[in-house]
Amino acid sequence: MMKMNLERLAYFVDLSETLNFSETAERMYTTQGNVSKQIAALEKELQTELFTRKHRQVTLNTHGQVVLLSAKKILNEYQEMLKNLEAMNVQSQNQLFIHGIPSFYRYRAGELIGNFHREFNQYQIQFQEVETTQLFSDLAENRCQIAIYRSFGKVDLNKYQVIKVDQDHLVVALHRDHPLAHHKVLRFSDLADEHFIQLGRGSMYLSLVEEKCYQAGFTPKIDYRGHRLEVLIDLVAKNLGISVVMAKTVQHPDVVKIPLDEEISSDILFVRKKDESTPLLELFWHYLENKLG
């Protein structure tokens, strides 16, 4: 009996869109060689070629077009099955699923979650760190019931219930011996010759930092883009560059925080969907309202 490999189907569907092994490798976070291996294995499994390879060009052949229709349907149904299962898990009465920004523990949000869990220890809280850009899709697809979100006021939150838990603002993080460390205030134009160490696109404020640098007349030299705040601050502490980060996320004896002349602030929010309710979700939400009221 044939065993269908969903991973191979995913590579096939992506390659049918890009018609480029290198581009598919980049999109699937793998190597070009692995893409070729997966496609070859699928063609062997189905006992037919799916692509025409000629003059270094790739096109989907007739057999491939037939397989593509079924492959998309199979993958869509598999994702729908996972979504339904996740929704069932989220509805579990004794579990609360919270997804939040990786730096949530630097704010009062972490303290509130911990205190609630100690007070109502008969319930289970499942917490997962995710990038800011993923939070609303997680809410929409029922992977979580509550999101801890950093808002710069650019996202419409009218269809959600929101509780503000904290506030923060951007600063320049520097090694204490850096030539700019003695300044009381810095402008973005002061940073034109610096090497930046920044969180990646998922943090949302990389694009904001880049925009401010462009407005100041230069393109920032970003030497490092990462996902872990601790790594970023450690690199700054080793004097390998500077970083424009949120003030409350910087806690290192060798790193100083210099305010920017233009205050760029953000709110830390608890966010939930208006149309979803469970007894535990309501209990937690009322707890937040009472503590932050």
Side-chain angles (χ1 to χ4, degrees):
M1 183 177 179
M2 182 183 297
K3 294 182 179 180
M4 180 58 65
N5 187 308
L6 294 178
E7 184 180 21
R8 291 172 187 166
L9 286 183
Y11 279 101
F12 165 70
V13 170
D14 194 277
L15 184 59
S16 72
E17 295 174 357
T18 66
L19 299 178
N20 184 294
F21 282 83
S22 178
E23 187 174 344
T24 286
E26 183 176 347
R27 285 166 48 149
M28 301 291 285
Y29 301 100
T30 187
T31 63
Q32 184 173 334
N34 187 47
V35 175
S36 299
K37 180 180 177 181
Q38 296 292 338
I39 297 301
L42 180 62
E43 290 179 330
K44 181 178 180 181
E45 180 179 319
L46 298 178
Q47 298 181 359
T48 186
E49 290 188 353
L50 304 173
F51 296 92
T52 300
R53 304 162 177 83
K54 190 174 182 181
H55 303 304
R56 306 188 74 174
Q57 291 186 327
V58 179
T59 56
L60 194 66
N61 64 26
T62 303
H63 289 147
Q65 292 171 2
V66 171
V67 172
L68 180 61
L69 294 174
S70 296
K72 285 184 174 180
K73 183 178 179 180
I74 291 169
L75 292 174
N76 287 338
E77 288 181 349
Y78 179 72
Q79 290 300 320
E80 186 65 23
M81 178 191 72
L82 293 180
K83 180 179 176 181
N84 291 335
L85 289 173
E86 288 169 349
M88 290 173 62
N89 289 333
V90 167
Q91 294 304 318
S92 174
Q93 295 298 304
N94 293 319
Q95 287 185 312
L96 185 66
F97 290 77
I98 302 175
H99 288 187
I101 55 176
S103 58
F104 85 98
Y105 61 92
R106 301 288 192 187
Y107 302 99
R108 198 181 171 196
E111 174 191 341
L112 287 165
I113 292 171
N115 290 342
F116 176 85
H117 189 245
R118 282 187 288 272
E119 187 171 341
F120 301 95
N121 56 20
Q122 69 270 37
Y123 300 113
Q124 183 179 2
I125 296 180
Q126 298 284 344
F127 186 86
Q128 182 178 340
E129 292 182 2
V130 299
E131 295 294 352
T132 304
T133 51
Q134 184 183 328
L135 285 172
F136 287 106
S137 63
D138 284 358
L139 276 174
E141 295 173 14
N142 295 320
R143 287 193 287 267
C144 67
Q145 295 154 295
I146 291 179
I148 303 173
Y149 174 68
R150 182 190 302 282
S151 172
F152 288 95
K154 296 183 177 182
V155 176
D156 183 5
L157 298 172
N158 287 330
K159 62 181 178 180
Y160 301 97
Q161 286 184 262
V162 173
I163 296 177
K164 179 178 174 180
V165 64
D166 215 332
Q167 190 174 39
D168 207 350
H169 62 279
L170 287 177
V171 295
V172 183
L174 308 156
H175 186 273
R176 62 184 180 182
D177 294 331
H178 191 283
L180 296 177
H182 67 280
H183 286 242
K184 292 184 177 180
V185 176
L186 288 170
R187 301 181 299 272
F188 272 96
S189 58
D190 296 325
L191 311 178
D193 297 326
E194 301 299 325
H195 292 265
F196 286 72
I197 298 170
Q198 294 295 144
L199 293 174
R201 296 284 175 197
S203 69
M204 282 190 69
Y205 62 82
L206 175 60
S207 58
L208 178 59
V209 171
E210 289 177 326
E211 179 185 343
K212 294 298 181 182
C213 291
Y214 298 150
Q215 291 174 0
F218 71 97
T219 299
K221 296 184 284 288
I222 301 177
D223 293 346
Y224 174 85
R225 298 180 186 181
H227 302 288
R228 299 303 304 175
L229 182 66
E230 297 87 347
V231 175
L232 183 149
I233 299 302
D234 281 344
L235 293 174
V236 174
K238 291 179 171 61
N239 211 4
L240 296 175
I242 70 163
S243 186
V244 179
V245 290
M246 288 294 155
K248 293 181 181 178
T249 65
V250 181
Q251 298 177 14
H252 196 289
D254 293 327
V255 177
V256 297
K257 300 178 285 188
I258 309 297
L260 289 159
D261 66 332
E262 175 189 357
E263 182 168 298
I264 303 171
S265 62
S266 68
D267 294 329
I268 307 301
L269 309 172
F270 281 104
V271 182
R272 61 178 283 194
K273 293 192 294 185
K274 288 183 176 180
D275 59 354
E276 183 179 341
S277 178
T278 67
L280 179 53
L281 176 58
E282 296 305 327
L283 177 64
F284 181 74
W285 201 255
H286 290 316
Y287 177 86
L288 294 178
E289 290 176 331
N290 290 333
K291 295 296 182 181
L292 297 169

